[in-house]
Amino acid sequence: MTRTRCDRTPAWSQLQAHYQSAGQQLDLRQAFAQDPQRFDRFSQQAPHVFADLSKNRIDAATQALLLQLAQQCGVVEHRNAMFSGGAINTTEHRAVGHVLLRNPPLAPVEPAQTAINVVANNAWGDAQTQVHATLDAMLAYAQAVRADAAITDVVNIGIGGSDLGPQMAVLALQAFAIPGKRFHFVSNVDGHELAATLQGLKAESTLFLIASKTFTTIETMTNAHSAKAWFAAQGGTDTARHFAALTTNVAAANAFGITTTFGFWDWVGGRYSVWSAIGLPLAISIGADGFREFLAGAHDMDEHFRTAPLESNLPVRLGLLDVWYRNFHGFTSRSIAPYHSALKRLPAYLQQLEMESNGKRVDATGAPLPYATSPVLWGEPGTNGQHAYFQMLHQGIDVVPVEFVAVKKPRHSLPGHHALLLANVLAQAQALMVGQSDPDTGAEGHRRFTGNRPSTFLLLDDLAPTSLGALIALQEHRVFVSGSLWGINSFDQWGVELGKVLAKNVEARLATGDTAGLDASTAGLLARLRA
Ligand code: F6P
């Protein structure tokens, strides 16, 4: 498979010229005035997600050049390599298999089946069989926990991908949650978090899930040891019933004293692992059928990404837009605005997905990159964000593309609220684009909104397991596309290693007070902490 870095393609120079001559001046208001079809042209229905891209600073010429960029970079070949089990995580020499976790069980190959389906299935060998055996076991366990009225509290101990995915999804799907069970997520090594969670819990009614791909992460292991000690101190004895491990490192979990384990594989990246055993809290919360719907929604989006022509392939269009904004417009961040309170952890989840995947300064060969990569992702649910930082989005110097996520159907029956929520999300997207001249001066002034501020609008009919699965898979694939164009390996995370090593060193020095060889600031702070 050949990948060509974006800056080495003819389309890249053409995009630079296009940006100078037309792209940077594009005015959304004029674009809508000139093209009555603009909404239809730049919006589309993908599986379970409708997307309106029309309020973005793109036109037909930009889109055509961006699609050429995707072709010339080999995004299609790269995508196919992922789906067929190629070792595209080149620095760790691994395949990237989260899409396999969402594949339905293998059926006997029908003659009518498309060639690519056969390739995709065969290349993974018996991994697919293992995936389904593990999934079946995990879902049977989830059903048993659901039926066990004596377990009232489920505590997930994990961090990063072993926390953000299940936490985001359990919250998002709280309308589907089994009554009578509370879910807690402990990630931080800061003991305040675990101590506050344990307060009010009883050993006999608590299930601890120790979620760690590696089973070595210091935060998780520290919390797991403390939880185990608390359990024993409360008189708990039945570890097999009250502790389960979700990990690729079953041997380490056994050595820790946990015998109930659900495994996964090194070809599932931490931030892509909610579809694996790491999703167990979600499976307990929404049940086996709900979890299968979550997987099925993601699979629908996988099939769209794998088969739709590039021009109507939503992850491709979003990934291209991300590159257009980051590398041509120079926008440094993207604000995520979910207009649904149950999606309150979506921005944090997407932060890891985008920034741990694409926050890289070298290409896949290790050569420094001459252009910017991952934007900063940030956000809060609407309408809360409107009363905090939307001022800056409307009138700040920096242009920040906003990604709105709205849900058509509410899952509550309080009158009036949902219409008001939807009115707000539409109005914010509208205000960002249309702007307003200062009512006092008619031109510049404190009350002027320049407008022409871009946004994308993602709309779900309902926030349900299927649509959430599709929404998350969409985000995974758009990150794949931009990472592919940038020529980077989106599936490693070497950038978190240095801090881990230094923390071990500093921890030892905090105990002894040894500051020899430290920089003056670290030494000074360390001395104050010990005083
Ligand atoms: O922060 C680095 C990282 O490796 C993430 O990629 C991962 O999701 C997190 O730590 C937790 O890792 P583990 O699941 O192995 O405990």
Side-chain angles (χ1 to χ4, degrees), residues 11 26 31 36 47 51 86 131 166 309 315 321 367 392 412 448 454:
L26 188 137
V131 163
L321 184 63
M392 181 265 204
H412 64 79
R448 178 171 181 226

mmCIF file of all heavy atoms in Angstrom, residues 11 26 31 36 47 51 86 131 166 309 315 321 367 392 412 448 454:
data_model
loop_
_atom_site.group_PDB
_atom_site.id
_atom_site.type_symbol
_atom_site.label_atom_id
_atom_site.label_comp_id
_atom_site.label_asym_id
_atom_site.label_seq_id
_atom_site.Cartn_x
_atom_site.Cartn_y
_atom_site.Cartn_z
ATOM 1 N N ALA A 11 -2.505 18.077 -5.797
ATOM 2 C CA ALA A 11 -3.721 18.712 -5.261
ATOM 3 C C ALA A 11 -3.391 19.708 -4.152
ATOM 4 O O ALA A 11 -4.076 20.717 -3.978
ATOM 5 C CB ALA A 11 -4.683 17.640 -4.744
ATOM 6 N N LEU A 26 -14.103 33.334 0.819
ATOM 7 C CA LEU A 26 -15.467 32.799 0.693
ATOM 8 C C LEU A 26 -16.364 33.336 1.811
ATOM 9 O O LEU A 26 -16.011 33.280 2.984
ATOM 10 C CB LEU A 26 -15.456 31.266 0.728
ATOM 11 C CG LEU A 26 -16.807 30.631 0.412
ATOM 12 C CD1 LEU A 26 -16.631 29.442 -0.533
ATOM 13 C CD2 LEU A 26 -17.530 30.164 1.666
ATOM 14 N N ALA A 31 -22.417 32.773 -0.571
ATOM 15 C CA ALA A 31 -22.457 31.416 -1.136
ATOM 16 C C ALA A 31 -23.887 30.880 -1.145
ATOM 17 O O ALA A 31 -24.329 30.272 -2.121
ATOM 18 C CB ALA A 31 -21.534 30.488 -0.351
ATOM 19 N N PRO A 36 -28.891 28.264 -4.677
ATOM 20 C CA PRO A 36 -30.092 27.824 -3.954
ATOM 21 C C PRO A 36 -30.013 26.351 -3.546
ATOM 22 O O PRO A 36 -30.735 25.911 -2.657
ATOM 23 C CB PRO A 36 -31.223 28.026 -4.962
ATOM 24 C CG PRO A 36 -30.642 28.802 -6.101
ATOM 25 C CD PRO A 36 -29.161 28.671 -6.054
ATOM 26 N N PRO A 47 -25.546 6.708 7.600
ATOM 27 C CA PRO A 47 -26.300 5.825 8.497
ATOM 28 C C PRO A 47 -26.513 6.448 9.884
ATOM 29 O O PRO A 47 -25.542 6.761 10.582
ATOM 30 C CB PRO A 47 -25.417 4.573 8.582
ATOM 31 C CG PRO A 47 -24.678 4.565 7.295
ATOM 32 C CD PRO A 47 -24.421 6.003 6.963
ATOM 33 N N ALA A 51 -25.962 15.040 8.272
ATOM 34 C CA ALA A 51 -24.910 16.043 8.454
ATOM 35 C C ALA A 51 -25.131 17.207 7.507
ATOM 36 O O ALA A 51 -25.289 17.004 6.300
ATOM 37 C CB ALA A 51 -23.547 15.414 8.190
ATOM 38 N N GLY A 86 -4.409 -5.127 7.527
ATOM 39 C CA GLY A 86 -3.003 -4.763 7.306
ATOM 40 C C GLY A 86 -2.407 -4.125 8.559
ATOM 41 O O GLY A 86 -3.120 -3.501 9.347
ATOM 42 N N VAL A 131 -13.450 -12.779 18.467
ATOM 43 C CA VAL A 131 -14.191 -11.576 18.846
ATOM 44 C C VAL A 131 -15.587 -11.962 19.306
ATOM 45 O O VAL A 131 -16.066 -11.520 20.356
ATOM 46 C CB VAL A 131 -14.267 -10.577 17.660
ATOM 47 C CG1 VAL A 131 -15.360 -9.533 17.874
ATOM 48 C CG2 VAL A 131 -12.921 -9.912 17.438
ATOM 49 N N PRO A 166 -16.471 4.130 27.821
ATOM 50 C CA PRO A 166 -17.623 3.627 28.576
ATOM 51 C C PRO A 166 -18.339 4.723 29.362
ATOM 52 O O PRO A 166 -19.567 4.729 29.436
ATOM 53 C CB PRO A 166 -17.021 2.562 29.509
ATOM 54 C CG PRO A 166 -15.544 2.689 29.393
ATOM 55 C CD PRO A 166 -15.234 3.390 28.122
ATOM 56 N N PRO A 309 -18.927 6.227 -2.304
ATOM 57 C CA PRO A 309 -17.999 7.018 -3.109
ATOM 58 C C PRO A 309 -17.485 8.202 -2.279
ATOM 59 O O PRO A 309 -18.210 8.711 -1.421
ATOM 60 C CB PRO A 309 -18.867 7.523 -4.267
ATOM 61 C CG PRO A 309 -20.130 6.748 -4.215
ATOM 62 C CD PRO A 309 -20.267 6.155 -2.849
ATOM 63 N N PRO A 315 -17.438 10.435 6.570
ATOM 64 C CA PRO A 315 -16.155 10.572 7.272
ATOM 65 C C PRO A 315 -15.079 11.194 6.383
ATOM 66 O O PRO A 315 -14.254 11.984 6.866
ATOM 67 C CB PRO A 315 -15.781 9.127 7.630
ATOM 68 C CG PRO A 315 -17.042 8.351 7.560
ATOM 69 C CD PRO A 315 -17.931 9.041 6.570
ATOM 70 N N LEU A 321 -12.466 18.331 5.362
ATOM 71 C CA LEU A 321 -12.775 19.662 5.891
ATOM 72 C C LEU A 321 -11.819 20.017 7.024
ATOM 73 O O LEU A 321 -11.342 21.162 7.122
ATOM 74 C CB LEU A 321 -14.228 19.656 6.397
ATOM 75 C CG LEU A 321 -14.802 20.958 6.910
ATOM 76 C CD1 LEU A 321 -14.864 22.001 5.798
ATOM 77 C CD2 LEU A 321 -16.202 20.715 7.476
ATOM 78 N N ALA A 367 9.740 11.373 9.926
ATOM 79 C CA ALA A 367 10.269 12.663 9.426
ATOM 80 C C ALA A 367 9.406 13.814 9.938
ATOM 81 O O ALA A 367 8.177 13.720 9.928
ATOM 82 C CB ALA A 367 10.282 12.648 7.900
ATOM 83 N N MET A 392 -16.801 34.418 22.731
ATOM 84 C CA MET A 392 -15.557 34.352 21.953
ATOM 85 C C MET A 392 -15.813 33.748 20.576
ATOM 86 O O MET A 392 -15.240 34.190 19.571
ATOM 87 C CB MET A 392 -14.519 33.561 22.746
ATOM 88 C CG MET A 392 -13.171 33.419 22.093
ATOM 89 S SD MET A 392 -13.074 31.868 21.186
ATOM 90 C CE MET A 392 -11.320 31.613 21.156
ATOM 91 N N HIS A 412 -37.720 12.716 27.220
ATOM 92 C CA HIS A 412 -38.466 13.143 28.408
ATOM 93 C C HIS A 412 -39.768 13.753 27.920
ATOM 94 O O HIS A 412 -39.926 14.000 26.715
ATOM 95 C CB HIS A 412 -37.647 14.163 29.222
ATOM 96 C CG HIS A 412 -37.403 15.439 28.481
ATOM 97 N ND1 HIS A 412 -38.357 16.420 28.360
ATOM 98 C CD2 HIS A 412 -36.338 15.882 27.764
ATOM 99 C CE1 HIS A 412 -37.880 17.409 27.628
ATOM 100 N NE2 HIS A 412 -36.660 17.103 27.245
ATOM 101 N N ARG A 448 -21.334 44.526 16.981
ATOM 102 C CA ARG A 448 -21.228 43.924 15.652
ATOM 103 C C ARG A 448 -20.819 42.447 15.756
ATOM 104 O O ARG A 448 -19.918 42.097 16.528
ATOM 105 C CB ARG A 448 -20.198 44.675 14.812
ATOM 106 C CG ARG A 448 -20.034 44.024 13.449
ATOM 107 C CD ARG A 448 -19.195 44.814 12.470
ATOM 108 N NE ARG A 448 -19.142 44.071 11.213
ATOM 109 C CZ ARG A 448 -18.040 43.856 10.503
ATOM 110 N NH1 ARG A 448 -16.894 44.384 10.875
ATOM 111 N NH2 ARG A 448 -18.079 43.145 9.407
ATOM 112 N N PRO A 454 -17.839 29.456 10.622
ATOM 113 C CA PRO A 454 -18.302 28.157 10.108
ATOM 114 C C PRO A 454 -18.805 27.202 11.187
ATOM 115 O O PRO A 454 -18.335 27.235 12.331
ATOM 116 C CB PRO A 454 -17.041 27.579 9.461
ATOM 117 C CG PRO A 454 -15.909 28.234 10.165
ATOM 118 C CD PRO A 454 -16.383 29.592 10.622
#
